[in-house]
Amino acid sequence: MLTNPFLSLKKTLLLSLFCCVLSACSWFKEKPEIAVVLTEHFNNKLYNKFDTAVYKPIFKAKLEEQRKVFLNPKVISAFYEKNEYLPQLVTRFYVNGQLDSLKNYLSNSRLDGFNPEIFNYTAYEKELQVLNRNQFKTIEEVYELVANLELNAAYALNKYTNFMGYGSINPRNFFNRFYIQIQRPDSLKMDSVLNTDDLVSKLKKAQPSTDAYLALKRALAHYRDSLGTDETPQIKAIKMNMERMRWRLPLQTEELVVVNIPDFTLTWFRKADTLAHMNVCVGGKREATYAEKMKVFLKSGKLDDKPKNHETPQLFSVFNAIQVNPIWNIPVSIAKSEIYWMARKDPFYLSNNNIKVYYKDKLVADPDTIDWNKYPREKLPFKFKQGSGEGNALGKFKFVFDNSSSIYLHDTNNKYGFKLANRAISHGCVRIEQPLKFAELMVKDKYQYDKLRMDVDLPPVDTTKNEIFKKKLAKKADTLNVFQLKPTWYSPRKSIGVFIAYYTAWADGKGNVQFRPDVYEYDPILWEALKRYM
């Protein structure tokens, strides 16, 4: 039987036309994932009408309107641009309850000292409730709600993980002598939070988890229960120091020596163990009228107008050397403000204190003959070094670590300072009360420790080395030969960090909060920066 080719062609054209008409209908449109998720969850066909072509302009307008309030608008904008401005967080985390988990974390931020409203908590909670009620009359109401919920979720997630994981402020923006390159959230870390498949795991990871932080967190709850208000000096101090504990150090070391400036103490930690605890002396507080005097000095340029500021900076580094019987390279500031005047007052001051003078890097043979009237203090052409020995201001030990401020830990020839209640008395470096014990913990082995002991005229622990020790002492005591004491260097064990910190409140092992005077008056500066978040 022959088929009519024209009839076959007619059928093909009609079928093609029919398919085109059907494909233009909503029946054949691919449903966006948000429509599928909400339709199945609520068993409500209204969400099937969710049209991304209508939703996107609404969302983009709201995103542009709210860009300025985001901590990191570029990261947020890039995230949504990459995802075609679709409600990624609502789609992924609403039905499985993780947006509710975010709400709970935001609410509980109060336990960490924060005001949940800084994360838009009330608005976010209300939007979740509206979606939960599932009482929309038109799909247009859904667009508005989902856009607001999506943006608030992104805002809260971004800000909460940043604040909890890294602190709400960067201290380097507020304190001139905060020299720690603390970790801060970069765009990659923030983008990974937004792109996560497990929102709760990111929230958990952001929680500070050190024993010190958790103890202070429990203390905050206790003081709130006891005092009934947050407006007390104790609670403010706790909140400020919880913030300090949220600042992330740039490196984790196996052991950490922590100098707490307000407590005037040093504690050596090896994980949970305490290897040593001792008193220290730190830098003296700047003058009360420092800011005003500095303005005068900047105009006049006269050293007499320059205000004193010996505050020990906040630092983090790793020990790299021990110097035994150190030489003190006297800083220019101390030379001009102190050594110059002492030399003028007493012509034998320099030789009596084993201070050598250098002119154009050449040793001055007899510094006691220098006519100081010829040299103005502002343009002093000399350098000063105090030789090794009993009278050296650094004592017998100097513990060195890299930093840009020439700060180090050291012994001292003046032990009286350790008996003072306020031990902010140094020129900036940290004097330690038990330098020999500190050196013993730092050296690599007993052999090295015995060599170090003999260098400072102490007998070795290993008695088989007593003959060597006696010969060393005899050489020093030989009056026929001039013995010149020189510094010796030792390498410390690896990965011993040093953290010069500033904590005015912390919880001890029994859970009792220890408060210390704000010796450098940093707390008012910190509170002014934090109070809008608390």
Side-chain angles (χ1 to χ4, degrees):
M1 179 178 176
L2 296 173
T3 58
N4 188 332
F6 295 102
L7 181 62
S8 177
L9 179 61
K10 185 177 180 181
K11 287 181 179 179
T12 302
L13 290 171
L14 286 171
L15 181 61
S16 299
L17 180 61
F18 180 69
C19 290
C20 288
V21 171
L22 287 180
S23 66
C25 295
S26 59
W27 304 337
F28 280 81
K29 280 187 179 178
E30 184 179 350
K31 294 180 186 177
E33 190 177 357
I34 183 68
V36 175
V37 166
L38 294 180
T39 299
E40 291 181 358
H41 178 69
F42 289 113
N43 191 24
N44 186 340
K45 294 181 180 179
L46 173 69
Y47 301 104
N48 276 329
K49 298 180 180 179
F50 199 105
D51 187 343
T52 56
V54 179
Y55 169 78
K56 287 180 184 181
I58 295 172
F59 178 82
K60 289 170 75 173
K62 288 182 178 293
L63 175 61
E64 184 60 31
E65 181 184 323
Q66 296 181 33
R67 273 186 100 258
K68 293 180 180 179
V69 302
F70 281 103
L71 282 181
N72 313 93
K74 290 183 179 179
V75 173
I76 302 292
S77 296
F79 169 74
Y80 283 110
E81 182 180 1
K82 179 182 176 183
N83 288 284
E84 299 181 354
Y85 301 99
L86 295 175
Q88 291 295 307
L89 301 180
V90 176
T91 302
R92 280 182 277 161
F93 303 123
Y94 173 68
V95 171
N96 62 19
Q98 293 196 56
L99 288 189
D100 286 312
S101 296
L102 173 58
K103 180 195 71 174
N104 294 335
Y105 273 94
L106 299 182
S107 177
N108 288 332
S109 67
R110 184 175 180 274
L111 303 178
D112 295 273
F114 291 116
N115 177 358
E117 288 308 310
I118 65 172
F119 307 115
N120 284 356
Y121 172 74
T122 299
Y124 177 71
E125 181 188 37
K126 184 177 179 181
E127 286 152 7
L128 275 176
Q129 289 174 353
V130 172
L131 185 54
N132 290 340
R133 285 197 292 268
N134 181 33
Q135 294 178 352
F136 302 104
K137 294 180 180 179
T138 66
I139 194 64
E140 285 71 25
E141 295 176 76
V142 178
Y143 298 146
E144 188 85 8
L145 185 280
V146 168
N148 287 332
L149 179 58
E150 178 72 21
L151 283 171
N152 265 330
Y155 174 85
L157 179 61
N158 178 242
K159 193 169 187 176
Y160 179 86
T161 51
N162 281 7
F163 278 28
M164 291 297 296
Y166 300 90
S168 59
I169 68 163
N170 185 343
R172 292 170 62 84
N173 296 334
F174 296 90
F175 299 100
N176 292 331
R177 295 206 169 194
F178 190 98
Y179 298 148
I180 304 171
Q181 293 282 355
I182 60 169
Q183 293 185 41
R184 297 296 296 165
D186 57 26
S187 57
L188 287 176
K189 290 175 182 175
M190 288 181 283
D191 190 58
S192 72
V193 171
L194 293 169
N195 279 291
T196 184
D197 292 324
D198 189 347
L199 187 147
V200 171
S201 70
K202 291 293 185 182
L203 294 169
K204 288 180 178 178
K205 189 177 180 180
Q207 304 304 304
S209 58
T210 64
D211 291 341
Y213 184 88
L214 295 177
L216 210 49
K217 186 173 178 176
R218 290 190 293 269
L220 176 60
H222 172 73
Y223 270 79
R224 278 173 166 162
D225 290 342
S226 302
L227 301 174
T229 175
D230 275 21
E231 299 304 314
T232 68
Q234 297 95 326
I235 287 182
K236 287 181 180 179
I238 290 172
K239 287 181 179 181
M240 284 187 283
N241 286 282
M242 288 177 74
E243 170 70 9
R244 287 179 171 121
M245 291 179 185
R246 285 189 284 263
W247 300 337
R248 290 195 189 185
L249 294 178
L251 179 69
Q252 295 294 319
T253 55
E254 294 176 10
E255 299 175 35
L256 186 63
V257 174
V258 180
V259 174
N260 186 10
I261 294 171
D263 192 40
F264 309 122
T265 59
L266 171 156
T267 308
W268 190 318
F269 295 100
R270 179 185 289 159
K271 295 183 179 178
D273 296 328
T274 299
L275 303 187
H277 183 77
M278 63 189 72
N279 290 335
V280 299
C281 297
V282 297
K285 182 182 179 299
R286 67 177 64 187
E287 292 184 39
T289 56
Y290 179 85
E292 292 76 11
K293 287 187 175 181
M294 181 56 74
K295 291 178 182 177
V296 174
F297 167 69
L298 291 174
K299 288 182 177 180
S300 71
K302 296 179 181 178
L303 284 177
D304 290 333
D305 293 333
K306 188 175 182 180
K308 293 180 180 179
N309 181 7
H310 298 309
E311 291 175 358
T312 299
Q314 295 173 70
L315 295 169
F316 176 85
S317 189
V318 177
F319 287 106
N320 56 33
I322 308 166
Q323 189 179 38
V324 180
N325 297 314
I327 288 175
W328 183 29
N329 295 303
I330 300 174
V332 173
S333 59
I334 297 177
K336 291 179 178 180
S337 63
E338 297 180 26
I339 304 298
Y340 175 81
W341 294 116
M342 297 300 293
R344 287 185 62 126
K345 183 178 178 181
D346 178 2
F348 303 108
Y349 170 78
L350 296 172
S351 56
N352 287 341
N353 286 276
N354 194 21
I355 296 176
K356 294 178 172 56
V357 182
Y358 295 81
Y359 178 75
K360 294 183 178 180
D361 294 327
K362 291 184 178 180
L363 180 66
V364 176
D366 190 359
D368 296 339
T369 62
I370 295 174
D371 184 359
W372 297 101
N373 292 314
K374 291 182 179 180
Y375 304 101
R377 187 162 65 106
E378 288 81 357
K379 298 180 180 180
L380 202 59
F382 303 106
K383 293 181 181 179
F384 302 85
K385 295 184 180 183
Q386 188 175 38
S388 304
E390 291 295 328
N392 189 286
L394 305 185
K396 297 181 179 181
F397 301 95
K398 176 181 173 182
F399 305 96
V400 183
F401 50 90
D402 288 335
N403 67 91
S404 60
S405 305
S406 299
I407 297 295
Y408 41 83
L409 275 57
H410 65 89
D411 181 19
T412 177
N413 62 345
N414 181 8
K415 308 292 186 181
Y416 176 76
F418 297 111
K419 298 179 181 179
L420 301 174
N422 184 338
R423 296 190 287 278
I425 58 174
S426 82
H427 287 96
C429 289
V430 179
R431 305 173 190 173
I432 62 176
E433 188 177 28
Q434 302 172 44
L436 183 63
K437 181 178 181 179
F438 197 87
E440 182 181 9
L441 287 169
M442 189 163 284
V443 293
K444 295 178 179 179
D445 50 41
K446 293 179 180 179
Y447 173 78
Q448 196 179 47
Y449 178 56
D450 273 345
K451 286 187 65 178
L452 179 148
R453 285 178 63 89
M454 288 188 284
D455 282 341
V456 294
D457 299 341
L458 291 172
V461 176
D462 183 356
T463 56
T464 63
K465 297 187 178 73
N466 280 343
E467 287 302 315
I468 299 174
F469 177 58
K470 290 177 182 178
K471 289 180 181 179
K472 284 180 173 287
L473 290 181
K475 186 176 181 180
K476 291 180 181 180
D478 187 356
T479 57
L480 297 178
N481 296 295
V482 177
F483 176 81
Q484 185 176 2
L485 186 64
K486 294 181 180 180
T488 52
W489 291 88
Y490 290 85
S491 297
R493 291 184 293 107
K494 291 183 178 180
S495 196
I496 303 173
V498 54
F499 175 31
I500 301 180
Y502 197 93
Y503 295 116
T504 52
W506 68 94
D508 61 23
K510 297 179 181 178
N512 299 316
V513 181
Q514 300 290 326
F515 296 98
R516 292 295 182 270
D518 179 18
V519 62
Y520 291 164
E521 297 182 358
Y522 287 171
D523 277 1
I525 300 171
L526 181 56
W527 184 252
E528 188 63 28
L530 293 180
K531 64 181 182 181
R532 56 183 169 154
Y533 304 129
M534 298 290 126

